[in-house]
Amino acid sequence: MNHTPHIRTVLSCTLLVVSLGAGATACVGSDNPLAAKPFDASEQVSFNTPTGNEKVDPDKPLEITAEGDGGRITDVTVIDDSGHFLAGELDADGTRWRSTGSLSAGAKYTVRVATEDANGAPGVRTLTFETAPASKFLTVAFGPKAGTYGVGQPITAELSLPVKDKAARAVVERALKVQSSPAVEGAWYWVDDKKLHFRPKEYWPSGATVNAVSNLQGVKVSAKLYGGASKALKITIGDRIEAITDAGSHQMTVQRNGEVIKTIPVTTGKPGFSTRNGIKVVLAKQYFVRMRGTSIGIAEGSADSYDLPVYYATQVTWSGEYVHAAPWSVGSQGYENVSHGCTGMSTGNAAWFFETVKEGDIVKVVNSAGDEMDPFGNGFGDWNLDWEKWLKGSALVADTPDGSSTADAARLRPEV
């Protein structure tokens, strides 16, 4: 349908206003259809939604159809009670609009449809409806607990149900928002079907505030699975504390915000029990731990068997690697490695370290004969992956290139 005549009418009217001045009212009461108040298009537009109070199935697309001869749909806006727009496509001739995005479950929608009749007169119809609630929900538990952490602390997201499909993972990942002030570049990594980690490209800035929220509620993840409500998380980042243990020189150097504040003689794992190389993150602190060799597979009564009370224990792996007081090895600290994998130091130094570090602080081991720290599964080894490898763990391969907004995608017009 060619709408050039309507455009010419408007231009003619505009020229009349300029030339006649006070005679601008000459356009009022003219036959220009675009100057008319929109008529009620209830008879011109139909929906595939049920009548009455029956709720709409969110698994089915929304369809809007132009009825009668000569009329067409010119614009459609669909928005839910949370302010989210529903994307859709309009046929080139304006006879049918169909949603391309998924309806949210348990939401209330408002639909505004603009039309024009065969003469170009504008019409409008508004409809509200509710979608049925979901019977199967996916929720998210963020970690760690609220508090102050070190610059190496990742944000974790534990899902209530496994998500394996890549498209469904992308839906989940888009809905999990992490915002930092000051802002950082960061990304999620799928550790497994139920767990994600978020970290920045570099360590968190000292003094940052980090918020994690889930926008999954009501969102369709996959067939019959919708997002449920989840609790948000807020943490703060403290000073940048880094403890670098050189297993070759038997020294630990502790830095605060880039400045060395203490150097400590230590002992690390002896041959056969060498301490893991790489970056670890403080997981927890315990004043007292009873350490037994049987916990790491050493047979009781063997030459390497031990059963010791340990104080000022700072944990860096789930399998039992600590930085702790080792008064029995003071003579070897600074000279040789004699432990079963932990980093040992004097009681005084261990007490100082215990009071100085917090969860999320960095403990890095270099020049050990041990294996490399596993990125996942034995603590937070996330920082042992470079940024390119980290990004490969994300389900989102690219953002929308044209910068169009959600609202734009929902307000598609026919070709003219």
Side-chain angles (χ1 to χ4, degrees):
M1 182 181 295
N2 190 334
H3 300 282
T4 303
H6 304 318
I7 297 173
R8 288 176 177 167
T9 302
V10 176
L11 291 176
S12 299
C13 182
T14 304
L15 292 173
L16 186 62
V17 171
V18 174
S19 61
L20 297 182
T25 55
C27 282
V28 177
S30 72
D31 293 333
N32 177 16
L34 297 181
K37 180 179 179 181
F39 64 85
D40 181 358
S42 297
E43 301 299 323
Q44 194 180 12
V45 175
S46 65
F47 299 84
N48 68 335
T49 55
T51 58
N53 295 323
E54 185 179 349
K55 297 186 186 298
V56 172
D57 182 353
D59 283 323
K60 295 181 178 180
L62 174 65
E63 293 186 3
I64 305 170
T65 305
E67 302 291 342
D69 296 329
R72 69 170 195 157
I73 298 168
T74 59
D75 188 49
V76 176
T77 302
V78 186
I79 187 170
D80 69 13
D81 47 1
S82 297
H84 299 138
F85 287 86
L86 180 67
E89 292 182 347
L90 187 60
D91 289 349
D93 59 3
T95 57
R96 191 184 72 144
W97 183 95
R98 180 184 175 91
S99 61
T100 56
S102 298
L103 291 164
S104 297
K108 183 176 180 179
Y109 280 90
T110 300
V111 184
R112 185 185 185 278
V113 184
T115 69
E116 64 179 19
D117 64 15
N119 297 318
V124 65
R125 182 178 180 187
T126 301
L127 173 76
T128 60
F129 65 87
E130 294 184 28
T131 54
S135 58
K136 190 177 180 182
F137 292 100
L138 180 73
T139 58
V140 182
F142 289 113
K145 296 179 180 179
T148 300
Y149 293 85
V151 297
Q153 179 65 49
I155 302 297
T156 63
E158 188 79 29
L159 306 180
S160 59
L161 295 168
V163 177
K164 299 181 180 181
D165 179 71
K166 185 175 181 180
R169 285 187 172 192
V171 172
V172 172
E173 198 172 322
R174 287 190 189 96
L176 303 184
K177 303 296 184 182
V178 178
Q179 294 180 321
S180 169
S181 179
V184 298
E185 179 183 359
W188 288 102
Y189 187 104
W190 286 80
V191 178
D192 57 38
D193 293 342
K194 294 183 66 176
K195 184 180 294 182
L196 300 87
H197 285 189
F198 184 99
R199 51 154 271 210
K201 183 177 181 180
E202 308 292 343
Y203 295 141
W204 295 107
S206 297
T209 300
V210 183
N211 293 278
V213 298
S214 170
N215 294 327
L216 269 177
Q217 187 170 6
V219 173
K220 183 178 181 180
V221 178
S222 59
K224 304 298 182 182
L225 178 63
Y226 288 80
S230 300
K231 185 178 179 180
L233 170 69
K234 179 180 179 180
I235 66 171
T236 55
I237 305 299
D239 286 339
R240 177 168 174 159
I241 303 294
E242 299 172 84
I244 303 171
T245 299
D246 189 329
S249 65
H250 318 292
Q251 300 289 321
M252 173 188 280
T253 302
V254 183
Q255 302 176 358
R256 176 184 285 120
N257 299 326
E259 295 186 6
V260 175
I261 57 175
K262 196 173 184 67
T263 300
I264 302 171
V266 298
T267 183
T268 63
K270 62 185 179 180
F273 298 92
S274 296
T275 307
R276 297 171 185 82
N277 282 296
I279 302 171
K280 303 153 194 177
V281 172
V282 173
L283 303 174
K285 300 193 297 182
Q286 295 171 269
Y287 172 69
F288 171 79
V289 177
R290 189 154 203 101
M291 294 189 178
R292 298 177 174 86
T294 53
S295 66
I296 59 171
I298 298 174
E300 188 173 357
S302 67
D304 284 310
S305 178
Y306 61 89
D307 185 348
L308 297 169
V310 175
Y311 294 88
Y312 300 110
T314 301
Q315 187 174 8
V316 293
T317 72
W318 301 127
S319 62
E321 185 181 325
Y322 290 81
V323 177
H324 63 75
W328 54 84
S329 65
V330 169
S332 299
Q333 293 165 17
Y335 300 99
E336 61 180 330
N337 295 321
V338 298
S339 83
H340 289 89
C342 291
T343 299
M345 59 186 64
S346 70
T347 300
N349 283 332
W352 177 89
F353 186 81
F354 187 90
E355 294 299 326
T356 300
V357 302
K358 59 191 169 297
E359 290 182 39
D361 283 339
I362 299 299
V363 177
K364 183 178 181 179
V365 176
V366 298
N367 298 324
S368 172
D371 295 333
E372 295 297 318
M373 175 67 176
D374 187 354
F376 309 106
N378 196 17
F380 295 136
D382 306 49
W383 300 99
N384 295 291
L385 288 180
D386 64 33
W387 188 239
E388 288 185 0
K389 290 182 180 178
W390 184 268
L391 291 178
K392 291 180 180 178
S394 167
L396 301 177
V397 295
D399 293 323
T400 303
D402 61 3
S404 59
S405 70
T406 308
D408 292 334
R411 294 171 58 87
L412 299 179
R413 294 170 173 80
E415 298 176 3
V416 294

